[in-house]
Amino acid sequence: MIEVRFHGRGGQGSVVASRILANAFVRENKFGSAFPMFGFERRGAPVTAYGRFDDEPVLEKTQIYYPDCLIVLDSSQRDSPRVYEGLKPNGILILNSTMGPKDPHENLALVAMADATRIAVEEIGLPAPNTGMLGVFAAATGWIKLASILAGLEDYFDGSRLEGNRRCVQRGFEETKSMRL
Amino acid sequence: MNAHARLLGCGKKGMLNMEGTEFNKTKIKVITGNSAAAHGAMLCRPEVLALYPITPQTEVVEEISGFYASGELDAEVVEVEGENSAMNIITAASAAGARAFTATSSYGLVYMYDALLQAAGYRVPIVMVNVNRETPGITAVSSGQQDMISTRDSGWIQIITSSCQEILDSIIMAYRLAEDFDIQVPVMVNYDGFYLSYLAEKVEVPCRADVDGFLAPLKDQPQRPILKPGEPMGFGTHGILEGYLELRYKHSTALERAKVKFDEIDKAFERHFGRSYGGQIDTYRTADADMVLVASGSLSGTAQKVIDLKRDQGLKIGLIRLRMFRPFPRERLIETLRGKKAIGVIDRSICFGWNSGPIYVELRALSPEIGYIPMMSFIDGIANMDVSVANIERMVRILQSASEGDSYQKVTWIGMEEE
């Protein structure tokens, strides 16, 4: 099982990103579950979301303590020790930034980045880096096909927003810069 | 859209509909618990719905409104000013013969408390979703079963579900149970707020024809009493003495019948849809187990993983997932638990006055039949406290040491233990 923890802020689309990813795994005949944890819903507040993806049905409905991968949508959390808590050895960081963490966590093996906020502003006119980050995730991990993420977008967006988000995913995928540690 | 297309329903393209792709020929969707509840309700073709939003249930109202707007749901949807009205409206609609639905949570459930009791007293076969959340007392927008537990003696049937698929399926089963001529009792379908309401996972959404087929046997039953213009009739109006006593007796015995009926409906559901949940209780590796954990709701899946881990380490342990809380599945619990060496009960709420979990207290009442063995209460998961694998492993350690004859504490508040 792959366990992914999303760190973002209300309004960045972390929750939707976690759902699109679960959707993509199900499209590959696998299983996925995703849920967020926050108190009162409000923009700007820190949001954590959890994604589990497996070949078998996912039974656990508990938070993730030992993630294989971190998706950090909010670059201001890039150096927060809380984000890296429990990260497994050979861990992967998917970061919405052009600049990696100052002092990478000892369990980090791969950092993959793109400026997904800029991509989103250019493509959909909103600073919502969520779908671009999924493109980076697909490029860096190889755990999911880009096509599966693209196919699932229509369940969450329509019209010009759907087209724009397709471009965000595609550009996130193409503009990924990976750094092995 | 013509009426026929709307009847078939399955050909529409909704926001979460993945039709047109290979994998969606089986109508697989990735949806939240709330969305699964809305789908389940819509598929049962309720005729009157009264809805008021509350966190973490709001998405149910939004999705049902979407189904109504798109024409997928052909019903009277009443936007009310509060939950008390919601319950009164669907009670009246049901008394007049309509299939009715509402959904609520926490403050909403207690705000309709008098109407909730009345619906049960009227024996109207309505179905309500309750998304479990902490109740007023300490203001908390967080998980916990205290809301459902606080209405346990209302005379409703209470079902607890633990996955998005089970939410959808249980609403369909709930109508079969509530409207059964031998039952005629309202049913509350519960699921954990936050841990299930917002959790998205794979759900197989049955098509309308299949759900219609499953509910069709209700049409072959005798007509239940309903209000009609020009035919005056009383609902819950026998105010004193024998009349009241008789209605209470009939109501209570209907709940007793609901237990076996629910098992039968589960079997019928399996024949129809290929999915089964065990009826009143779902058992996992209990047959040869010495120790048994009793759990309910979303934490059951996590508990099942822990059971597998402990089995791999040679521990003879199993799990009972309580699916029905009212009526309480006494017979099946006794049958499963007789001869065991230790029992641990995980509660996501508190039984004040017993300083333990309410499900635990109810199980203790079965001691004469089960045997006087170590029985422990674990309180965890209230107010969004995470019921982690590590927490459940800790419960199993306590259970194991008690089963080996060590002294033990009857009640453990996980997270409040003295080191």
Side-chain angles (χ1 to χ4, degrees), chain A residues 19 22-23 26-27 30-38 40-41 58-63 65 154-156, chain B residues 15-18 21 23 30 32 55 141 162 195-196 198-201 298 301-302 304-305 384 386-388:
Chain A
R19 289 176 184 168
N23 186 310
V26 172
R27 281 172 183 273
K30 292 174 181 162
F31 295 87
S33 83
F35 76 104
M37 194 44 71
F38 45 76
F40 298 88
E41 295 150 63
V58 177
L59 296 174
E60 295 93 331
K61 288 175 171 59
T62 173
Q63 297 174 19
Y65 297 89
E154 66 177 24
D155 295 327
Y156 302 89
Chain B
M15 185 175 162
L16 289 162
N17 198 328
M18 298 183 201
T21 65
F23 109 120
V30 175
T32 60
T55 300
V141 187
S162 46
Y195 284 88
L196 267 175
Y198 302 149
L199 181 133
E201 62 183 351
S298 61
T302 315
Q304 194 175 323
K305 295 299 276 195
N384 274 5
D386 192 43
V387 186
S388 62

Side-chain angles (χ1 to χ4, degrees), chain A residues 122-134:
Chain A
E122 288 171 10
E123 299 297 344
I124 55 172
L126 274 178
N130 56 348
T131 51
M133 293 294 282
L134 295 178

Side-chain angles (χ1 to χ4, degrees), chain B residues 24-186:
Chain B
N24 273 305
K25 281 178 183 160
T26 51
K27 283 166 249 114
I28 304 287
K29 297 186 180 187
V30 175
I31 51 175
T32 60
N34 281 338
S35 176
H39 278 80
M42 178 266 288
L43 285 167
C44 292
R45 300 182 188 277
E47 292 156 299
V48 178
L49 303 90
L51 300 162
Y52 191 82
I54 178 170
T55 300
Q57 156 270 29
T58 303
E59 197 186 358
V60 180
V61 180
E62 290 170 349
E63 292 246 346
I64 285 178
S65 304
F67 291 139
Y68 177 70
S70 73
E72 276 175 280
L73 176 66
D74 184 9
E76 188 79 32
V77 180
V78 190
E79 210 180 320
V80 287
E81 86 294 356
E83 292 84 354
N84 196 282
S85 300
M87 182 49 63
N88 276 307
I89 284 168
I90 66 165
T91 298
S94 180
R99 180 170 288 167
F101 179 82
T102 191
T104 191
S105 175
S106 180
Y107 281 67
L109 187 71
V110 298
Y111 188 51
M112 62 164 74
Y113 190 58
D114 63 315
L116 188 85
L117 301 180
Q118 205 152 42
Y122 285 15
R123 302 281 301 277
V124 285
I126 55 187
V127 171
M128 172 168 70
V129 154
N130 179 53
V131 189
N132 295 127
R133 179 187 141 185
E134 287 295 341
T135 38
I138 301 170
T139 303
V141 187
S142 54
S143 69
Q145 290 178 333
Q146 198 76 42
D147 54 359
M148 172 198 81
I149 295 293
S150 302
T151 62
R152 68 177 165 189
D153 295 326
S154 62
W156 280 60
I157 291 168
Q158 296 179 318
I159 294 165
I160 311 171
T161 60
S162 46
S163 72
C164 295
Q165 184 74 60
E166 192 186 352
I167 294 168
L168 189 153
D169 292 347
S170 296
I171 291 170
I172 299 170
M173 286 190 258
Y175 276 108
R176 267 284 288 264
L177 183 61
E179 292 181 9
D180 191 286
F181 190 75
D182 292 333
I183 307 296
Q184 295 186 59
V185 173

Side-chain angles (χ1 to χ4, degrees), chain A residues 80-126:
Chain A
S80 160
R82 193 183 64 90
V83 166
Y84 299 93
E85 233 167 73
L87 180 67
K88 278 190 200 152
N90 292 316
I92 299 173
L93 170 67
I94 309 293
L95 181 62
N96 173 29
S97 178
T98 50
M99 196 173 69
K102 271 186 226 134
D103 183 16
H105 188 271
E106 54 178 5
N107 286 352
L108 262 184
L110 175 68
V111 178
M113 295 180 291
D115 192 346
T117 303
R118 185 178 50 82
I119 293 172
V121 169
E122 288 171 10
E123 299 297 344
I124 55 172
L126 274 178

